[in-house]
Amino acid sequence: MDSGIFFESVFNNAKLNAILIMDEKGIIIKANQAFSSAFGYTAEELKGQYFDLFFVDSDRKAHVPEKEIIKVNTTGSADDDNYLVHKDGTPVWVTGEAILAITDNGRYIVKIIHNIHAQKLLEGYLLKSNEILEHLFESVREQALLIINSQMQVLRANKAFLKMFDLSENFTSGSKMSDLGHPFWRSQEIKSSVRKMIIENIPLNEVYTLSLADSQRQFHITSKGLLNDDVTERQILFAIKEIKVQALHSDGL
């Protein structure tokens, strides 16, 4: 196999991998079409430019480009996780690796870049969402709140929830929802509804009735799907409000 032809095919046909070829000092020799499509620069515009033009001002002042060149030439590779500036001036979060390639014609640096901006935005959103959720649990007193995962395990409950269902504040996180110690959460109706909601990914907005020996209790439950910090597992937030109903009397009054 001709390695030169093989690399040229990878370079030209890549759609998701933006690739730059530079000399050992970081001067751009070539950029593939994937790079141009992702970041707006043409190969002609980039040829002969020092690659620090992609870095934000703070990274240039901290000599991040120079440090990357030194590391590549010293160790053979360098990874990065930082902003790359689009031609229109927009900073785009990327990750990638610069690799030293030594050929008969000299030393070159091949820089492979992945756009992870959407992922970083999602991480930022989740962080803010978790901060809001943390504040919500600490501040809400009248609204009962419960979080479970897709295995119907209880992850968290606020004090209003524990009070509504006469539960100890020392309940075990990670236990099954049906093990909460209250007949409402052991009922087949609520378990079936929650299971269906998880499978079909349709939020709850229902009223449920719990019939006791001398009374009835009704609960209006709404739900909202969440994602945890590493975006690997769905979590569900329940908001429960009790609807006041009249007690049942044996004399019919």
Side-chain angles (χ1 to χ4, degrees):
M1 178 186 294
D2 188 318
S3 58
I5 295 174
F6 178 81
F7 176 78
E8 194 71 21
S9 296
V10 172
F11 183 86
N12 291 328
N13 295 328
K15 302 300 182 188
L16 300 179
N17 292 304
I19 304 174
L20 291 174
I21 300 176
M22 305 180 290
D23 69 14
E24 61 182 323
K25 296 180 181 179
I27 303 301
I28 300 167
I29 299 171
K30 202 170 183 180
N32 71 346
Q33 184 57 49
F35 186 94
S36 298
S37 298
F39 301 105
Y41 305 89
T42 66
E44 291 73 21
E45 289 173 323
L46 294 175
K47 188 174 182 179
Q49 298 269 16
Y50 182 47
F51 86 121
D52 76 339
L53 84 159
F54 303 126
F55 289 74
V56 295
D57 288 341
S58 59
D59 284 348
R60 285 203 297 268
K61 289 177 181 177
H63 304 292
V64 172
E66 289 75 20
K67 291 175 183 177
E68 182 174 332
I69 293 297
I70 291 171
K71 185 176 181 181
V72 174
N73 282 296
T74 303
T75 66
S77 69
D79 55 6
D80 52 9
D81 189 351
N82 49 243
Y83 284 114
L84 185 153
V85 180
H86 191 280
K87 184 180 178 180
D88 65 9
T90 303
V92 179
W93 203 285
V94 301
T95 186
E97 184 177 17
I99 304 163
L100 181 65
I102 301 175
T103 72
D104 294 338
N105 297 320
R107 294 161 61 95
Y108 301 92
I109 295 173
V110 179
K111 189 171 177 66
I112 303 171
I113 302 160
H114 303 277
N115 183 337
I116 58 168
H117 197 70
Q119 175 185 329
K120 286 292 182 179
L121 290 176
L122 178 59
E123 289 174 0
Y125 170 77
L126 289 171
L127 178 61
K128 292 176 182 177
S129 297
N130 285 338
E131 289 174 353
I132 293 170
L133 189 60
E134 191 73 26
H135 177 71
L136 184 68
F137 266 83
E138 291 177 355
S139 61
V140 173
R141 300 180 185 278
E142 290 77 24
Q143 183 77 68
L145 302 174
L146 173 72
I147 293 179
I148 69 168
N149 63 17
S150 53
Q151 284 75 50
M152 297 176 70
Q153 293 174 310
V154 177
L155 303 180
R156 188 163 184 182
N158 70 346
K159 291 183 178 180
F161 178 89
L162 300 177
K163 181 179 179 181
M164 180 178 290
F165 295 101
D166 302 316
L167 301 174
S168 166
E169 292 190 19
N170 297 320
F171 82 98
T172 303
S173 177
S175 58
K176 287 288 186 178
M177 188 184 73
S178 56
D179 295 332
L180 279 172
H182 191 278
F184 177 75
W185 296 101
R186 292 198 298 266
S187 71
Q188 192 58 46
E189 181 184 17
I190 188 64
K191 287 193 292 184
S192 296
S193 292
V194 173
R195 190 176 294 111
K196 182 179 179 182
M197 178 208 66
I198 292 171
I199 294 172
E200 299 181 2
N201 199 26
I202 300 174
L204 280 182
N205 186 5
E206 300 288 343
V207 173
Y208 297 88
T209 299
L210 174 66
S211 297
L212 303 173
D214 58 353
S215 65
Q216 284 186 338
R217 295 179 70 182
Q218 288 188 327
F219 304 98
H220 180 218
I221 301 180
T222 56
S223 70
K224 172 69 176 177
L226 305 172
L227 288 170
N228 65 1
D229 289 341
D230 59 4
V231 206
T232 58
E233 180 181 57
R234 280 197 306 133
Q235 298 177 359
I236 301 97
L237 169 66
F238 293 98
I240 305 106
K241 181 178 180 181
E242 183 165 6
I243 302 170
K244 299 299 182 183
V245 295
Q246 291 184 339
L248 300 177
H249 299 284
S250 57
D251 59 357
L253 296 177

